[in-house]
Amino acid sequence: DAREQILQLEYKVDKLRQLDREIVELEADAKRLEQRVTEFLSSREALEASEAKAVEERNSARARNTKEVEERNGELEKVEKDERELAALVSAVDAFDASDKPAAIKK
């Protein structure tokens, strides 16, 4: 009876040691998992920051392009106005050349 109790106690001690080893392994696994989660969160934050910077750069480029287009449109409007004025002057000169110059001078 005492031997049986000793064997049962030794069995329970072995089981406790085995459970203790499993707990140590689980704690190590938990630490590794925690490290991986931390690394994942850090990389996600870096990715989000990178994406935000890319969006900011794209918006800035879009704003610059819009400004350039507006400036070019203003320049184009000036050129078109100058062309209309030049065409009017050419027409006036042509009309003057086509008119009766001596009659215009006599008047």
Side-chain angles (χ1 to χ4, degrees):
D1 189 39
R3 282 186 178 223
E4 188 176 314
Q5 286 182 350
I6 291 174
L7 289 174
Q8 285 180 354
L9 288 175
E10 286 176 351
Y11 175 77
K12 288 180 181 179
V13 167
D14 286 342
K15 272 294 204 192
L16 287 173
R17 287 182 180 147
Q18 181 182 353
L19 289 174
D20 191 46
R21 284 191 299 271
E22 289 177 13
I23 289 171
V24 169
E25 289 175 10
L26 288 172
E27 287 173 344
D29 289 346
K31 285 181 182 179
R32 284 192 295 274
L33 183 58
E34 184 178 340
Q35 180 63 33
R36 288 179 60 197
V37 168
T38 301
E39 290 170 1
F40 170 77
L41 292 176
S42 294
S43 65
R44 187 176 76 178
E45 288 174 2
L47 178 61
E48 289 172 350
S50 176
E51 288 174 346
K53 184 176 181 180
V55 167
E56 183 180 317
E57 289 174 357
R58 185 178 66 232
N59 289 342
S60 177
R62 191 175 288 153
R64 281 192 309 274
N65 288 344
T66 300
K67 183 178 178 183
E68 288 176 15
V69 166
E70 289 171 353
E71 289 173 356
R72 289 182 184 157
N73 285 343
E75 292 170 5
L76 181 61
E77 288 173 6
K78 284 182 186 179
V79 167
E80 289 172 346
K81 180 183 175 193
D82 290 347
E83 287 176 344
R84 287 190 300 271
E85 290 175 0
L86 183 59
L89 287 173
V90 168
S91 294
V93 168
D94 288 345
F96 179 76
D97 286 344
S99 69
D100 184 23
K101 292 179 193 172
I105 292 173
K106 289 179 184 175
K107 291 183 181 178

